[in-house]
Amino acid sequence: MVMLTLHKLRELIRTSVGFDEGIDFEGDIADIRYEDLGYDSLARIEVAAQVQLQFDVEISEDMAMALETPRETLDYVNTRIGAIQRSGGSKS
Amino acid sequence: MKSLVTGLGVVAPNGVGAETYWAATLAGRGGLGRITRFDPTGYPVTVAGEVTDFVLQDHVPSRVAAQTDRWSHLGLAAAKLALADAGVEPATLPEYEMAVVTVGSSGGTEFGQREIEALWSKGPEHVGAFQSIAWFYAATTGQLSIRHGMRGPCGVLCAEQAGGLDAAQQARRLLSDGACLVLAGGTDASLCPYGLTAQSATGKLSGNPDPARAYLPFDVDASGYVPGEGGAIFVVEHDVPAVGREDRRCYGVIAGHGATFDPRPGSRRRAAAAAGEPLRRAIELALGQAGLGPGDIDVVFADAMGVPALDRAEASAISATFGPYQVPVTAPKTMVGRLYAGGAALDVATALLAIRHGIVPPTTGGTRTAPECDIDLVRMPRERRLRSALILGRGHGGFNSALVLTAPPETNARSFRS
């Protein structure tokens, strides 16, 4: 199963919620808080929903709000993808 | 207190930007054509006015674009153009004294259709989070308020095609209640299968597939109207300028407004409505508020439904007020279609441009005015000093509105003299 990379997350954010032209979106955004990137709660829920659809990892709305930076999203999603793979899960 | 219009933003099927739009309008260059936003084959209506000369990225940040319908995109663009035209830097003005009033009609239909299709075909988890805010009537007002930091008394008015006139009046009220600047106007963009199907249910749209013949208000060949998208937003300010706004220009004054409702269906007074009485009464109210008589009005911008009985009612209201053939009447919306929430707002912008340039813009397409419509319909641009203009709007469901605009005052604001 495919892991979520920063590159993929960036593209997913770009296409689903856009980005603030005032920030260096192509730069290292991994540790910048979503709030500081200009995303409100609705945008974060939309990003989480898109990740969930494309990577088949469940992210509750509460969890979507708890993940504060792209790196936290990557860690959360990839840990679960890893767990599915280790358990021989058939979810693909 | 006077309410001055100090900036115009136009996004129309025949031009983006007030001057581009005005040049096209004077030249009689229309924006009607076969619908391209989807394949209209099989629909009862195939002709519309689409805004084609519009690059979303030039006007709307991607983060905002993702969470808004096209109707809001066009509104955000029109507002940006209006603020630039007025030379307003919102950050330099008191945020709680700036307000936004837009017109809503069908809301975000195209966005909504996309999400409903996702719901039907893929399931609820495929419906995006932004559907919760994008469809909503007040979405454009809210997005404008956020984007420009305007936190005064904001609102949205829903009176369909009459709404733009009511928004101008609401701006006037807010200025007298203490606001220093109001962004007012409206846009619409309901050219998707869902939107067009809903509109077609009125039975008033034209099924003529020829863009040059589909929308001929007041004409012997009138066969209904064609829909369009776009509209206009304007900046309205006090005649006493806010600090830093002393050097602004002025297009004209919002001088008077009147609004009435048609009698309910089945009422004995329906015959009076058919004869244009509620619209005539709205005109009377607007003239009264402006302190003007019929002889002071130099041009009328008609609602121009293109439905023979409704054209007759409007012509009756006009001739009952001014006398038959006594005032020039025009309907430049023949070039763009009826823009619903954007329609009367665009007429306000057109009227202000007409006042500024001293030219009545033409009504295009038709050749023979229906004999029952006893009005002087302007078919070629007509040069004329315009001290004042009357704009009429009627909205689905029985709304009638009339607005009087007058030329800029001699003092307090620099008018265009170049």
Side-chain angles (χ1 to χ4, degrees):
Chain A
M1 191 169 170
V2 186
M3 306 292 269
L4 179 59
T5 62
L6 180 61
H7 174 70
K8 281 180 200 155
L9 181 59
R10 196 196 315 266
E11 290 314 302
L12 186 150
I13 292 173
R14 189 202 310 278
T15 53
S16 62
V17 299
F19 61 93
D20 192 326
E21 279 77 357
I23 61 137
D24 180 15
F25 190 71
E26 303 302 329
D28 188 2
I29 58 169
D31 294 306
I32 304 177
R33 288 159 51 91
Y34 285 118
E35 202 178 320
D36 296 330
L37 291 169
Y39 299 115
D40 60 12
S41 56
L42 212 50
R44 289 163 67 182
I45 287 170
E46 177 64 18
V47 169
Q50 289 299 325
V51 170
Q52 188 166 308
L53 284 174
Q54 294 181 30
F55 291 87
D56 209 12
V57 169
E58 192 178 333
I59 307 175
S60 68
E61 281 189 15
D62 287 345
M63 184 50 68
M65 298 316 297
L67 299 171
E68 295 203 338
T69 65
R71 189 183 304 283
E72 289 181 19
T73 302
L74 293 177
D75 290 348
Y76 181 82
V77 172
N78 287 329
T79 301
R80 268 140 200 87
I81 290 174
I84 291 167
Q85 284 174 341
R86 277 194 301 281
S87 70
S90 59
K91 290 180 109 178
S92 56
Chain B
M1 199 272 303
K2 282 191 167 68
S3 302
L4 313 181
V5 179
T6 58
L8 295 180
V10 171
V11 177
N14 59 348
V16 173
E19 289 305 322
T20 307
Y21 162 74
W22 178 248
T25 299
L26 277 192
R29 268 200 311 277
L32 303 184
R34 184 175 165 86
I35 292 170
T36 63
R37 292 191 65 77
F38 64 95
D39 179 4
T41 304
Y43 286 80
V45 176
T46 55
V47 172
E50 295 181 334
V51 174
T52 50
D53 185 22
F54 181 76
V55 180
L56 179 60
Q57 298 88 306
D58 292 351
H59 298 278
V60 185
S62 67
R63 210 161 40 83
V64 181
Q67 55 182 277
T68 42
D69 179 80
R70 178 171 170 85
W71 135 78
S72 296
H73 298 165
L74 301 180
L76 286 156
K80 187 177 151 189
L81 291 167
L83 289 169
D85 186 42
V88 170
E89 296 281 352
T92 65
L93 295 169
E95 59 183 335
Y96 289 100
E97 292 177 27
M98 291 184 286
V100 182
V101 181
T102 66
V103 185
S105 182
S106 51
T109 47
E110 190 177 75
F111 196 107
Q113 168 151 13
R114 196 172 68 221
E115 299 302 320
I116 289 168
E117 283 177 356
L119 174 66
W120 285 336
S121 59
K122 298 178 189 162
E125 67 278 12
H126 289 266
V127 177
F130 295 131
Q131 167 63 6
S132 60
I133 57 169
W135 71 272
F136 184 43
Y137 302 104
T140 303
T141 285
Q143 294 288 355
L144 287 174
S145 168
I146 294 165
R147 188 166 179 212
H148 298 297
M150 299 180 168
R151 309 181 73 178
C154 295
V156 60
L157 296 168
C158 297
E160 213 247 324
Q161 180 92 15
L165 308 183
D166 302 346
Q169 174 71 353
Q170 179 64 5
R172 196 160 167 255
R173 286 193 200 103
L174 294 175
L175 290 176
S176 66
D177 284 348
C180 74
L181 181 149
V182 183
L183 264 186
T187 53
D188 221 330
S190 205
L191 298 178
C192 59
Y194 163 38
L196 193 63
T197 301
Q199 295 158 33
S200 299
T202 65
K204 292 174 185 159
L205 276 70
S206 172
N208 192 322
D210 178 0
R213 301 291 297 163
Y215 182 31
L216 303 173
F218 304 111
D219 201 86
V220 290
D221 293 327
S223 61
Y225 67 83
V226 303
E229 60 178 4
I233 303 276
F234 25 95
V235 176
V236 193
E237 297 177 73
H238 264 285
D239 54 345
V240 179
V243 174
R245 292 291 300 148
E246 297 80 2
D247 203 28
R248 68 206 171 167
R249 303 179 301 177
C250 176
Y251 284 92
V253 180
I254 300 171
H257 171 267
T260 62
F261 288 110
D262 284 345
R264 62 179 167 77
S267 158
R268 275 173 299 163
R269 294 188 298 122
R270 288 302 277 190
E277 176 56 21
L279 184 61
R280 188 205 62 77
R281 175 72 182 142
I283 296 171
E284 185 175 87
L285 291 168
L287 289 173
Q289 195 172 76
L292 297 176
D296 298 316
I297 297 295
D298 295 322
V299 62
V300 175
F301 286 77
D303 176 62
M305 197 75 80
V307 175
L310 295 168
D311 286 350
R312 282 198 296 277
E314 182 171 28
S316 298
I318 293 168
S319 60
T321 305
F322 298 95
Y325 306 100
Q326 290 303 300
V327 65
V329 177
T330 192
K333 59 166 70 78
T334 44
M335 288 175 252
V336 297
R338 286 176 73 83
L339 310 187
Y340 303 107
L346 183 62
D347 278 341
V348 169
T350 313
L352 290 165
L353 289 163
I355 288 172
R356 173 183 162 187
H357 291 280
I359 306 175
V360 178
T363 307
T364 58
T367 46
R368 286 178 299 153
T369 304
E372 316 86 78
C373 296
D374 49 357
I375 54 170
D376 171 18
L377 192 64
V378 176
R379 296 191 185 275
M380 296 294 286
R382 194 182 293 179
E383 286 195 33
R384 185 180 176 145
R385 179 167 170 251
L386 300 175
R387 299 159 301 167
S388 59
L390 172 70
I391 306 163
L392 306 181
R394 287 176 295 184
H396 182 71
F399 298 97
N400 303 285
S401 294
L403 187 76
V404 174
L405 299 171
T406 56
E410 294 301 314
T411 54
N412 291 330
R414 190 157 52 89
S415 58
F416 299 90
R417 294 193 200 285
S418 54

